[in-house]
Amino acid sequence: MSAKGDETTVIVVDDDRATRTLILEILKNEPYRVEVFSSQEAAAEFHRKSGCSAVIYAVSILDESAAAFLDMFRRIDSIVPVIIPGFLDYSAHGELVEHFSADGEVVLVSKPIMPQKFLECVREAIERYRKSHLQIKHYSSVVNDIRAASRMQALLLPDWIVCNNDLFLSSLYEPMYGIGGDLYNLIELGGRRYLIFIGDVAGHGISAAMQMSVVMGWSKTIIEQAADPDNLLPELFNRLNAYFCTEFDHRGYMTCLAVLADCEKETLDYISAGHMGLFRYDEREHRIDYRDPGMKGGIPIGWFQEFEYTAEDVIHETFDRDCRYFSMTDGVMDTCDINSNKMSREEFVKLLVESNVDISQGQIPYLLAECIEEAGYTETSDDVSIISFGRRDSTSAAVKLSAAYTVDMANSKTFSEELHRALKGAGVDEFKLLEIELASVEFFNNIIMHGFATRPRIRPKIMVSVALENGRVEVTFLDRARKFEIELPKPEEGGGFDDFLMDAEAGRGLQLIANLSDGFFRKNYHGLNVSKLYFDLQKGGK
Amino acid sequence: MEIKHEMIDDVLVIRLMTDRVDAENSEILKSQYRRLAAQAPKVAMDLQELEFLDSTGLGVIVFCLRFSQENGGLLKLANLSTKVRMIFEITRAYRVFDIFDDLGTAVKSFAV
């Protein structure tokens, strides 16, 4: 489509020697390379291979073949100007005139050709094409820059699952334009204290992303320099407010929810600057409620330089070990259905509770997104971010292991050993334990080898949890590998697979999983694969 | 993965000095076995250090067995740990291998 090379080329298509002579004479002093063709197809082929900046279609009689020529050229290049000298009477050539007019880049020049006027037409057309071309090149460059920036911004944000000894944070990030102003982070403060925050820098695209990047860096610096650790949250917001008002000169602002989680004291302190509060999901009662910050805080960061966040704006709660907490940027609640209806907060909570999904560790952001989508709210107009966090020391005795592993075959061993230790500690029979270990390790390996085989491994994680309840072991895998299907073969009679073992080139792993497990579940929730292997401890070893 | 080998009588003894044969390291065993067992009709594999093998690891041990068989030889296993014995039992791999409690018995069995 573009004019190749540095030379400006003009294609002339004509069938009349006199016209050709005139046009060549007009163009002789211009710095153009002029290529002349009597065949339309040859002209088109030349442009396909070499390109040009303008086409002069100087055929003696204008008829349907002119329209056909234009269509043929447009299949190669949608914007190269086509200059058509000719006499067109609208009453006689109405369709042709309309066809040319609709094109947008056809220049009709009346005959007889006036040299100076014709030359000006050609020069203007070439200049217009040059500018369009530059715009297209610039646009491609911007698109490439956004793609690169998007990858880099993803690296600034935490992994979709972060696990440490005290708590976990899972997250979902979907910027509207590839990059955006949403941000969230988990920062370890020491002494089993953690800062979790989620925020939304106003605006979209590169500008919001740049401010987001600055805030991610600033927040760490502010925390390191904090004068009073007991007053960290208001100090964080006040200093961010000062930065936004002075450095960004009121051109940007941000809503934010910051949470100070103290796993030693089992407390949650949080402050909101115009941001949605916390939702709390109680695992015991399968109930979700919304912790409304009310009027506390309330003012977005960057609105008023004089505004001061104080300790009065901080809300205090117990950090319940059997609750999962989540929050989101307003892009989620701004998502509409096809009739432009949004959900209210009450409808949102009702939707989740009635979805009856198993809202366990790590899955909340993805289950939420899936529920919202399935309920028909699919029209997004903003960046969407959802975070969920909770304590790892759940009072549920059922969970024996909960850990996140970096995708690396070396971690297959770590997982295997931790699984073995967890179930041995829970009193599972050694033989059965080995069956569970074998099948689970096979599945873990399958995720790495097949799910992540063709994806770049930039800090991907697999989260595994193992629960033992009512004589059944449930091993749950969460991963963001590609959505590959797993179809387990039928379990072989007798459990062993000696002939298969000897002859198979591949697939022993899946057969092993099929033979050793008592059930299998796998589903993708908005990009998160949730897989479960079930093992019935009542059944004898195979 | 470290693999040691020596000749005892006319039997090639291969010792796996690793606690694990799995998808991560099984190719090493495969290529080493090809090299070592190509000219050795009698092979005894000492698995004393081994504590775990997954389906890929099991597949490689099967490969070793087939390699020897196709070259007119035999592979026997010795010194399986309790856990590896259980794995062989779970997968019924014990049906396809000759397994001995100790290396000496495995080596002597070739003379019978």
Side-chain angles (χ1 to χ4, degrees):
Chain A
M1 155 166 133
S2 56
K4 302 175 183 64
D6 295 329
E7 203 173 30
T8 302
T9 304
V10 175
I11 288 177
V12 177
V13 181
D14 64 53
D15 58 358
D16 173 58
R17 199 173 174 178
T19 309
R20 178 187 303 181
T21 307
L22 174 61
I23 290 172
L24 290 177
E25 181 62 26
I26 293 170
L27 297 180
K28 75 174 180 194
N29 294 321
E30 297 301 296
Y32 309 143
R33 173 183 158 196
V34 182
E35 295 286 339
V36 182
F37 299 90
S38 51
S39 153
Q40 296 179 3
E41 289 77 15
E45 192 53 29
F46 176 87
H47 182 58
R48 192 195 311 275
K49 285 184 183 155
S50 309
C52 71
S53 298
V55 178
I56 301 171
Y57 186 76
V59 175
S60 45
I61 296 174
L62 286 176
D63 56 20
E64 297 75 25
S65 63
F69 171 77
L70 183 64
D71 292 344
M72 178 174 55
F73 232 82
R74 284 292 173 248
R75 281 195 287 276
I76 304 166
D77 189 330
S78 58
I79 62 168
V80 70
V82 178
I83 302 161
I84 304 180
F87 178 73
L88 283 174
D89 173 6
Y90 189 86
S91 56
H93 304 102
E95 273 187 34
L96 205 55
V97 170
E98 281 180 12
H99 192 83
F100 290 155
S101 300
D103 181 85
E105 291 298 335
V106 168
V107 181
L108 290 172
V109 180
S110 310
K111 273 186 172 171
I113 296 174
M114 306 299 286
Q116 191 51 41
K117 197 168 173 207
F118 185 79
L119 185 58
E120 279 166 18
C121 275
V122 172
R123 284 175 181 163
E124 275 171 20
I126 289 173
E127 181 59 17
R128 212 167 46 242
Y129 184 63
R130 189 186 67 79
K131 283 182 180 166
S132 295
H133 214 265
L134 275 175
Q135 279 179 344
I136 289 166
K137 224 169 130 180
H138 177 66
Y139 175 76
S140 298
S141 169
V142 167
V143 166
N144 286 338
D145 285 347
I146 287 178
R147 263 195 215 118
S150 173
R151 282 196 295 272
M152 277 166 223
Q153 191 176 42
L155 290 174
L156 282 175
L157 293 167
D159 287 338
W160 76 267
I161 186 77
V162 176
C163 253
N164 56 45
N165 288 336
D166 290 315
L167 48 73
F168 75 91
L169 176 85
S170 66
S171 55
L172 167 72
Y173 174 56
E174 291 183 344
M176 179 103 179
Y177 299 113
I179 53 172
D182 282 4
L183 55 110
Y184 50 85
N185 209 352
L186 167 67
I187 300 174
E188 196 165 339
L189 303 174
R192 298 186 68 202
R193 293 164 79 238
Y194 302 88
L195 176 71
I196 299 160
F197 63 82
I198 180 167
D200 182 356
V201 174
H204 301 293
I206 292 176
S207 159
M210 297 287 289
Q211 292 177 57
M212 169 268 190
S213 308
V214 170
V215 171
M216 292 289 281
W218 272 345
S219 54
K220 286 185 180 166
T221 305
I222 292 169
I223 288 159
E224 280 165 17
Q225 295 174 351
D228 181 3
D230 291 332
N231 207 34
L232 180 63
L233 295 177
E235 185 175 344
L236 173 67
F237 275 19
N238 286 327
R239 289 189 63 181
L240 284 174
N241 192 48
Y243 282 136
F244 264 85
C245 292
T246 55
E247 300 294 332
F248 291 155
D249 194 23
H250 293 282
R251 278 198 294 274
Y253 68 90
M254 179 175 96
T255 59
C256 188
L257 174 76
V259 180
L260 186 58
D262 191 324
C263 297
E264 189 69 37
K265 294 180 185 168
E266 302 189 8
T267 57
L268 276 186
D269 299 337
Y270 56 96
I271 185 172
S272 164
H275 198 278
M276 196 181 298
L278 274 179
F279 289 87
R280 185 180 66 180
Y281 168 63
D282 189 321
E283 277 195 327
R284 294 157 299 204
E285 297 173 26
H286 192 55
R287 193 188 72 217
I288 295 172
D289 61 281
Y290 175 63
R291 325 299 291 158
D292 193 339
M295 294 304 293
K296 294 197 174 188
I299 305 292
I301 291 167
W303 270 18
F304 302 114
Q305 192 165 356
E306 310 78 29
F307 185 81
E308 195 180 333
Y309 302 91
T310 68
E312 306 280 308
D313 296 313
V314 180
I315 300 164
H316 306 279
E317 273 204 22
T318 304
F319 193 5
D320 191 327
R321 67 176 64 186
D322 287 315
C323 287
R324 307 285 166 246
Y325 300 83
F326 57 96
S327 188
M328 60 206 76
T329 53
D330 57 12
V332 176
M333 301 300 291
D334 284 346
T335 305
C336 300
D337 62 17
I338 54 167
N339 297 318
S340 302
N341 298 317
K342 293 183 196 178
M343 272 182 296
S344 67
R345 199 174 296 128
E346 293 70 30
E347 282 167 334
F348 178 68
V349 172
K350 194 162 167 253
L351 175 73
L352 295 178
V353 173
E354 285 177 357
S355 69
N356 207 30
V357 291
D358 176 17
I359 305 179
S360 51
Q361 284 190 9
Q363 302 178 44
I364 286 179
Y366 299 87
L367 292 175
L368 287 180
E370 184 83 3
C371 284
I372 291 166
E373 206 171 74
E374 283 189 347
Y377 295 93
T378 53
E379 311 300 308
T380 335
S381 58
D382 197 356
D383 305 329
V384 162
S385 296
I386 307 172
I387 62 166
S388 161
F389 63 92
R391 288 171 58 174
R392 290 196 57 205
D393 55 343
S394 166
T395 53
S396 165
V399 177
K400 305 300 175 193
L401 172 69
S402 172
Y405 301 93
T406 304
V407 170
D408 190 318
M409 287 304 291
N411 277 328
S412 179
K413 178 179 175 180
T414 310
F415 164 58
S416 156
E417 289 170 352
E418 289 183 351
L419 171 72
H420 191 99
R421 244 191 325 269
L423 289 179
K424 189 169 181 177
V428 175
D429 161 72
E430 190 70 29
F431 197 87
K432 191 71 191 177
L433 197 165
L434 201 46
E435 288 186 347
I436 297 169
E437 189 181 341
L438 272 173
S440 301
V441 164
E442 290 302 326
F443 196 82
F444 187 91
N445 291 348
N446 261 279
I447 295 173
I448 295 175
M449 288 193 291
H450 301 295
F452 284 100
T454 54
R455 287 174 65 123
R457 294 182 186 188
I458 305 173
R459 308 178 301 166
K461 296 273 179 68
I462 301 172
M463 177 145 188
V464 185
S465 62
V466 180
L468 195 173
E469 201 166 32
N470 301 325
R472 190 170 87 157
V473 170
E474 182 180 294
V475 185
T476 304
F477 301 84
L478 308 182
D479 70 82
R480 294 202 63 196
R482 67 182 180 89
K483 196 177 162 183
F484 68 101
E485 299 301 325
I486 294 182
E487 199 165 319
L488 291 187
K490 284 188 190 151
E492 294 212 332
E493 282 181 12
F497 55 121
D498 29 0
D499 291 333
F500 177 80
L501 183 70
M502 280 299 286
D503 299 330
E505 290 298 323
R508 291 187 186 90
L510 287 183
Q511 190 65 61
L512 205 52
I513 296 169
N515 285 3
L516 300 179
S517 63
D518 297 300
F520 173 66
F521 166 87
R522 183 169 168 84
K523 190 174 170 180
N524 186 280
Y525 295 94
H526 208 85
L528 180 75
N529 295 311
V530 178
S531 316
K532 291 180 186 281
L533 292 176
Y534 303 100
F535 302 90
D536 187 348
L537 296 181
Q538 314 299 339
K539 285 188 182 173
K542 294 182 167 89
Chain B
M1 178 198 294
E2 194 190 344
I3 297 171
K4 290 186 176 172
H5 61 94
E6 63 176 315
M7 294 300 291
I8 297 179
D9 298 336
D10 58 345
V11 176
L12 171 66
V13 172
I14 292 176
R15 289 194 173 85
L16 298 192
M17 310 305 290
T18 177
D19 63 345
R20 208 171 168 90
V21 177
D22 56 19
E24 207 197 2
N25 62 6
S26 55
E27 278 303 311
I28 299 171
L29 174 57
K30 203 176 193 176
S31 63
Q32 291 273 44
Y33 193 86
R34 270 200 197 102
R35 185 177 62 82
L36 292 168
Q39 305 298 327
K42 299 174 189 175
V43 184
M45 196 179 282
D46 185 346
L47 302 180
Q48 189 174 39
E49 304 293 323
L50 195 64
E51 283 297 319
F52 185 85
L53 66 171
D54 63 10
S55 66
T56 312
L58 201 51
V60 160
I61 308 275
V62 168
F63 164 82
C64 295
L65 176 67
R66 284 167 62 179
F67 182 86
S68 285
Q69 288 174 343
E70 284 162 12
N71 284 283
L74 274 176
L75 166 67
K76 302 188 182 191
L77 306 180
N79 277 331
L80 271 62
S81 67
T82 308
K83 199 167 170 185
V84 172
R85 273 189 192 277
M86 285 203 288
I87 292 174
F88 271 60
E89 195 180 326
I90 288 167
T91 58
R92 290 157 78 100
Y94 66 85
R95 289 185 168 195
V96 300
F97 290 98
D98 291 333
I99 298 172
F100 296 86
D101 289 343
D102 60 82
L103 188 62
T105 314
V107 168
K108 281 183 190 148
S109 72
F110 282 99
V112 174

